[in-house]
Amino acid sequence: LATMQAGRCPTDELSLTNCAVVSEKDLQSGQHVSVKTTPNHKYVFTVKTHHTVSAGSIAFSLPQRKWAGLSIGQEVEGMKCASLIADLSAAAYRCTQNELPLVVKDIEAMDASILKGEPASGKKQQKIDVGLMVGNSQVIFEKAENSSLTLVGKAKTKEARQTIINPDWNFEKMGIGGLDKEFSDIFRRAFASRVFPPDIVEQMGCKHVKGILLFGPPGCGKTLMARQIGKMLNAREPKVVNGPEILNKYVGESEANIRKLFAEAEEEQKRLGANSGLHIIIFDELDAICKQRGTGASSTGVHDTVVNQLLSKIDGVEQLNNILVIGMTNRPDLIDDALMRPGRFEVKMEIGLPDEKGRVQILNIHTNKMRSFNLLASDVNVKELAAETKNYSGAELEGLVRAAQSTAMNRHIKATSTVEVDMERAEKLQVTRDDFMGSLNNDIKPAFGTNQEDYSSYIMNGIIKWGDPVTHVLDDGELLVQQTKNSDRTPLVAVLLEGPPHSGKTALAAKIAEDSQFPFIKICSPDKMIGHSEISKCQAIKKVFDDAYKSQLSCVVVDDIERLLDYVPIGPRFSNLVLQALLVLLKKAPPKGRKLLIIGTTSRKDVLQEMEMLDAFSTTIHIPNISTGDQLIDALEVRWPHRFRHTNGHNIHMHVLLLKDKNNHNCALKLALRDEGAELYITTPFPKG
């Protein structure tokens, strides 16, 4: 132990070595000395000798003096170290042109068992103040916030090697259900590259995904998933922007709003480079601001410039690698094509209607709190509710739970002159199965589901099975339904029911659709398009098919096709625009994983034949009229089984006479009813065909 006097480093070359300089009389080059400045502070230096340094002095460079808090002429206590200790706590190195300050934040001791050739003990590494830097010591560099340096190779920040996935995230806690497959696909495309160490990603030449587009029917969880992605990641809170909020009446303000969204990410990337954190920007209702360029009627072209600004920010000349833009829409067809290419919104994910397993998850999420407080009755079976709620979206399932809750609470409200809650009974409040079933039947109906009123009016008189022709049609319809359900080779099945007017084609089509029990059944009928122009009629027909594509199993009845086509025999005249739209839609296969049964009806098969429309149908089924007396008697007996037999204790005898004209052609049916002498004759013209 000796007292030495601090001095100034004699040369710049010695300063670059980061060593203290001493006289040859005191120490030898390569030795190490521990310098004590105050009772509680010790600093270790490697020393070099120089002839200009006098004995009893020790010279330091300016960064060393700043780091150890030394001043020239100050007396310090120096002690030669017995073991080789390298100074990892060096304050600065001087490069050839610029100063590069390096501050050691912490040092971890290596497991000593490794030096002996033994396997590591697995203990947590110990933090130390001073250590020896050897050949295989790992140095992890962190760039200061105000530094413009770029770290390359393996010199990455320690924080960048940490996973960006929050270890505490959970689907049910986040309120997301029924989207397991979709989320796993998003994770694979958008986040897998961000989990890997940056040096491996750099060696692969891999670029992170910058944009995700979520599309699908309303209420299926697009906004919810985007909002909760921020909770899943170890990232800052996402910026959520509604599309219309971007637009501004002042010139240039809409584009400035886009630039403001990316300003923080740009500034951080310039400051920290690859160490920049992930910035998430969420655009809700993206179609409001990113319509196809050139389609806007506005003379200012605001939408076009907003799209241009967004394109340049996501993947322009100055690329940002620290952003993730999530867009949501239920009209992906309106969005500009340039946004959809790889490098921008390259991950396109459909968030569709949940299947039965997903509906179970969603119902469990919305009833979990009631279950934990014993407010859900034991007779409520979530799996039964999931089976009954085909084609319900997540929002509609939540609405169903709310409706059931309101029904249960309403039972405990006193209907007096004032509205009061019966507290004695309210303590026993429970939501029962009947509450859910009542809400299911009366309150909440799926937007893309079966509409009972849609086809019940077509079969309000029932189906009269007056003979084999009717039975055969229903049997063939059942076979086509089974083919649609079970065959993977024929996701689209189209059948045409043709026959004379009033033969029951529409009723039979509605009956086949009803018996199919498909979750989506829609009748496209001309009575709903009275007064529509050709374009609006095409749009209405297309909307029916677009809605059908969103369901896994759908049935569309295209009723009275010649009326949809505005066909009249005088002329003849028809709508070619509607014809071409129908030809396309009848042949268009549904999206992958979806199945569609189309049932068409017509009374003019010959007209459709001329229009080359029959080729669009897989098969054609003829629906005949009643043509024999026996069939008529069977129909009357099935329809009114007690009216013609044993009425008022009397037997009614029924006879059908087939009248012929002079050419021996059937011309009329004469129905004779005789009741004990009193006779009633009904004559009706014979149906054509």
Side-chain angles (χ1 to χ4, degrees), residues 74 80 110 233 365 440 448 515 584 597 622 645:
Q74 178 181 348
K80 181 180 175 182
M110 184 174 60
L233 301 176
I365 288 170
L440 194 63
F448 301 100
D515 291 345
V584 171
L597 171 63
H622 178 68
R645 296 178 185 274

Side-chain angles (χ1 to χ4, degrees), residues 315-382:
D315 189 29
V317 177
E318 296 182 0
Q319 293 187 349
L320 294 174
N321 205 33
N322 60 343
I323 58 168
L324 178 63
V325 183
I326 303 175
M328 290 163 290
T329 179
N330 50 22
R331 293 295 305 276
D333 53 302
L334 297 180
I335 296 177
D336 192 89
D337 293 337
L339 272 170
M340 311 295 281
R341 71 157 175 80
R344 291 165 183 165
F345 287 102
E346 68 176 277
V347 178
K348 294 172 276 293
M349 186 63 58
E350 181 180 8
I351 309 297
L353 296 169
D355 56 11
E356 188 167 334
K357 180 182 175 183
R359 294 194 294 271
V360 170
Q361 293 178 0
I362 295 170
L363 288 169
N364 278 328
I365 288 170
H366 292 302
T367 59
N368 185 46
K369 200 164 188 179
M370 288 192 295
R371 191 179 293 108
S372 62
F373 287 97
N374 198 28
L375 295 176
L376 194 67
S378 59
D379 62 346
V380 177
N381 188 340
V382 173

